[in-house]
Amino acid sequence: MRGGYNPITFISSIPSLNESNYNVWREKLEIALALSDNDLALFSPCPTEPVDPVREANETDAAFATRQRDHAEVRMKYDLDRAKWDSSNRKCLMVIKGSIEDPIRGSILEYSTAIEYLKKVKSQITGSSEAYASTLIKKLVNEKYSDGGIREHILKMSNTAPKPKPIDLGLKDEFLIYLVFASLPKGYETFVVNYNLQPDKWNIKKLIAMCVQEEERLKSSHVDKDTYRWCHKTGHYQKDCLEFLKHLIRKGIPYEDPAKRRKTQVSHI
């Protein structure tokens, strides 16, 4: 145990590996193995076994004996190094496998070294992460805003965006902002154009604030146009507005009193 550290404490802090937390898992794993003094097999290759000396044809007994003594020291060092490496490799494999969720561990072949096993784990997670991110990006591209609040719509897209994986699949705010703009209805076209013309770029928080403000402006302008423009009154549709119908007459369109039109429609029922 290095420096009084309790290896169990660090090993227990390693999160279970799933398809979305490889980077955190790998970092915690390496810290735990290092602080418990068990990480030799992760950064050092397996020691190479020395070849036993073979007596040469014209070699004297004394010379061969000397080579055998020298080799004995090399063999002893190898045996000690190999025992230490094997112990580290065995413990690393135990910790690695024990911190992987069952579905992922069951799909990984057995390997004799921790390094080989970790390479396969990364390959497995990277492949599934790419497929997972591809699915989410397709979903974001096809997302369209209809109703329910612009804030909720942006937060939903932001939460859907792939988070960083073993490879760089995280979406930057700027790209996500353009995906949000692409999902907005036609009424936001001027708003989007104005954003593209300005030098400053927004983060997601600023995007939400500005979109909520624009949504309120659009709602207000819609009410002003459809409800108040002709008579400045509420409680009826524009098609039933007397002032609006008089405006049509001035344009040369025949006028019919809305109340009379409704009475005629009722008589034909």
Side-chain angles (χ1 to χ4, degrees):
M1 186 164 59
R2 183 183 296 174
Y5 291 119
N6 185 350
I8 297 177
T9 300
F10 292 102
I11 291 173
S12 62
S13 70
I14 303 173
S16 295
L17 175 65
N18 54 50
E19 293 184 350
S20 62
N21 70 340
Y22 175 85
N23 288 335
V24 174
W25 172 81
R26 182 66 183 261
E27 180 182 15
K28 294 288 186 180
L29 173 71
E30 292 180 354
I31 291 174
L33 291 173
L35 293 178
S36 61
D37 202 17
N38 288 313
D39 62 339
L40 175 64
L42 292 185
F43 62 81
S44 178
C46 179
T48 302
E49 184 175 4
V51 179
D52 292 336
V54 177
R55 185 167 183 171
E56 298 176 358
N58 299 323
E59 189 174 19
T60 64
D61 291 342
F64 182 58
T66 299
R67 286 204 302 122
Q68 284 183 313
R69 285 195 300 272
D70 293 341
H71 177 74
E73 294 181 5
V74 174
R75 165 62 69 171
M76 181 180 297
K77 182 178 185 305
Y78 163 77
D79 289 341
L80 292 173
D81 290 344
R82 179 61 188 264
K84 185 177 181 181
W85 190 92
D86 284 343
S87 175
S88 170
N89 185 61
R90 179 175 58 84
K91 292 175 182 178
C92 285
L93 281 170
M94 290 173 60
V95 173
I96 293 169
K97 293 179 180 180
S99 62
I100 300 176
E101 292 186 354
D102 290 341
I104 298 177
R105 186 170 67 239
S107 65
I108 300 174
L109 297 176
E110 290 294 329
Y111 290 89
S112 60
T113 69
I115 286 294
E116 290 177 310
Y117 194 86
L118 277 177
K119 287 180 180 178
K120 184 59 180 179
V121 170
K122 182 176 182 179
S123 174
Q124 183 83 6
I125 295 297
T126 298
S128 60
S129 296
E130 289 175 336
Y132 174 71
S134 177
T135 299
L136 292 185
I137 290 174
K138 288 179 181 178
K139 182 179 179 181
L140 285 170
V141 169
N142 294 321
E143 190 76 32
K144 298 298 178 184
Y145 173 60
S146 55
D147 202 356
I150 193 73
R151 181 192 302 274
E152 289 71 20
H153 172 70
I154 297 174
L155 287 175
K156 177 184 175 183
M157 292 188 68
S158 178
N159 292 331
T160 300
K163 303 304 184 289
K165 298 293 190 298
I167 56 178
D168 186 15
L169 294 178
L171 292 183
K172 296 182 179 179
D173 279 358
E174 185 175 354
F175 183 44
L176 182 57
I177 285 171
Y178 283 111
L179 288 177
V180 171
F181 284 160
S183 74
L184 298 179
K186 190 174 181 179
Y188 286 83
E189 284 182 347
T190 303
F191 174 73
V192 175
V193 170
N194 288 337
Y195 172 79
N196 291 331
L197 293 176
Q198 55 137 0
D200 297 333
K201 300 303 177 184
W202 301 339
N203 55 26
I204 297 301
K205 184 178 180 180
K206 180 68 176 292
L207 173 69
I208 292 176
M210 299 305 292
C211 282
V212 168
Q213 181 178 318
E214 178 65 10
E215 183 177 48
E216 293 300 321
R217 189 193 69 78
L218 289 173
K219 287 180 179 179
S220 175
S221 64
H222 179 75
V223 171
D224 289 343
K225 179 179 179 181
D226 292 345
T227 306
Y228 301 120
R229 180 177 177 185
W230 304 105
C231 66
H232 302 284
K233 296 179 182 178
T234 61
H236 60 274
Y237 294 106
Q238 178 173 288
K239 64 184 179 62
D240 295 324
C241 178
L242 184 59
E243 295 300 322
F244 174 67
L245 294 175
K246 289 180 179 180
H247 166 74
L248 294 180
I249 292 175
R250 289 194 292 270
K251 292 289 186 180
I253 302 174
Y255 165 72
E256 181 181 359
D257 183 82
K260 180 180 178 181
R261 184 171 69 253
R262 285 194 296 270
K263 184 183 293 184
T264 302
Q265 291 172 345
V266 172
S267 65
H268 284 82
I269 297 177

